[in-house]
Amino acid sequence: MAQEGTSTSPGSPEVTAAELAECRADRDPFQWDVREDCQVRQILDRIADKWSLLVIALLDEKKLRFGELGREIDGISKRMLTVTLRNLERDGLVSRTVYPEVPPRVEYELTALGRTLLATTQALVTWTEEHQDQIAEAREAFEAANADPVAG
Amino acid sequence: MAQEGTSTSPGSPEVTAAELAECRADRDPFQWDVREDCQVRQILDRIADKWSLLVIALLDEKKLRFGELGREIDGISKRMLTVTLRNLERDGLVSRTVYPEVPPRVEYELTALGRTLLATTQALVTWTEEHQDQIAEAREAFEAANADPVAG
DNA sequence: CAGGATCCGAAAGGATACTG
DNA sequence: CAGTATCCTTTCGGATCCTG
């Protein structure tokens, strides 16, 4: 573990295409390449970062404006909507179109790449929907088993 | 957005089976049920919480002990391994077996539920591996386009 | 060996005010 | 409208020490 070793880089999470090649190599054949410095982790963090998946899901329907997304996604702050969209745009999953009008209008829509991701994430959502009852059961069982027997 | 409305519950992220029913209902037919208070978000947060997916991937091979997992997952701290395993156990994705020996031995393995999740997440990892080059390109293009033209 | 408890720095994220 | 910049609170997570 990382108890004493300080070889992990806490700095920039950026990974360039050049680094990917060697990152892909020298792994156990069976294991995913999911070390901290690798892409899988980067992408996973992106789609799982609390809002991205929601934005992608919404943009599947139709292109939406900044404010529309904000109103659609209950609970998100203006700040987080901005950073989420920037990250998605940066990864080429969402495109941003600014119309030189006043007041300004900015529309976001999925790229082709973004649509392929959507298909995959939908499988995950489907899995969750199909198993949420089992998970809820497991949680209740776990809670019951670990209910403090002393304080009761 | 949540600028003035304070209806969002910042407290416990717990959801019981009872709440799920109504959570599933009254949604736009096309949209996933991914509000903060719903399961999809809960599960997503779980599998994306930096270590869970890695643990699940490792346990696919064979059951492993606490220390083995720690040594296998480079960069994880003892504390995070513990909380990660507890969460997975709580959700019924991983089972924990304690052998009454001394020194103690604890083995973790995937449950049937955990294995079905693995299959799904693998699709996501596959997608990432297949598209990481495109994403890397997009990032470099984005970085180039947004390179501060003044400070240059 | 397998953790639990505690402390504390780092990072995420909301609220607010301001801008083109 | 669509952000940006700043402040400030909450959360995450590593380090350390302790226990069965």
Side-chain angles (χ1 to χ4, degrees), chain A residues 1-3 7-8 13-18 20 24 28 30-36 38-51 53-54 56-58 61-62 66-67 69-79 81 86 89-93 113-114 116-118 120-125 127-140 142-143 146, chain B residues 1-3 7-8 13-18 20 24 28 30-36 38-51 53-54 56-58 61-62 66-67 69-79 81 86 89-93 113-114 116-118 120-125 127-140 142-143 146:
Chain A
M1 300 184 218
Q3 226 65 325
S7 57
T8 51
E14 318 300 352
V15 177
T16 65
L20 295 180
R24 278 171 159 175
D28 303 57
F30 57 79
Q31 189 183 337
W32 306 342
D33 189 359
V34 274
R35 292 173 303 178
E36 295 186 61
C38 272
Q39 277 292 82
V40 178
R41 288 297 320 283
Q42 307 282 322
I43 311 302
L44 221 61
D45 286 353
R46 172 75 62 253
I47 71 118
D49 70 347
K50 186 165 179 119
W51 302 117
L53 199 66
L54 214 23
I56 291 176
L58 284 173
E61 321 293 334
K62 55 181 179 297
F66 183 87
L69 282 167
R71 256 167 277 118
E72 206 77 43
I73 305 175
D74 189 62
I76 198 172
S77 67
K78 197 185 293 190
R79 190 175 104 75
L81 181 55
R86 283 293 169 284
E89 185 193 359
R90 174 185 140 92
D91 283 0
L93 300 169
L113 186 59
T116 68
L117 174 58
L118 180 65
T120 307
T121 55
Q122 248 160 354
L124 190 60
V125 173
W127 179 91
T128 303
E129 287 176 341
E130 286 173 352
H131 297 87
Q132 58 184 335
D133 295 324
Q134 288 183 58
I135 292 177
E137 276 179 46
R139 285 190 180 179
E140 288 175 13
F142 185 88
E143 239 55 70
N146 294 41
Chain B
M1 304 187 215
Q3 226 64 328
S7 57
T8 52
E14 320 299 352
V15 176
T16 64
L20 295 181
R24 278 171 159 175
D28 302 56
F30 57 81
Q31 188 182 339
W32 305 341
D33 190 357
V34 273
R35 291 173 303 179
E36 294 186 61
C38 271
Q39 279 291 82
V40 178
R41 289 296 320 283
Q42 309 281 322
I43 309 303
L44 221 60
D45 286 353
R46 172 79 58 252
I47 71 121
D49 72 347
K50 185 165 180 116
W51 301 117
L53 199 67
L54 215 21
I56 290 176
L58 284 173
E61 322 291 335
K62 55 181 180 297
F66 184 86
L69 282 167
R71 257 167 277 118
E72 206 77 43
I73 305 176
D74 187 64
I76 197 172
S77 67
K78 196 186 289 190
R79 182 173 162 325
L81 182 56
R86 282 294 167 284
E89 185 194 359
R90 175 185 140 90
D91 282 0
L93 300 170
L113 186 59
T116 67
L117 175 57
L118 181 66
T120 307
T121 56
Q122 247 160 354
L124 192 59
V125 173
W127 180 91
T128 302
E129 287 176 340
E130 286 173 351
H131 296 86
Q132 56 185 337
D133 295 325
Q134 289 183 57
I135 292 176
E137 275 180 46
R139 285 189 181 180
E140 289 176 12
F142 185 87
E143 239 54 71
N146 293 41

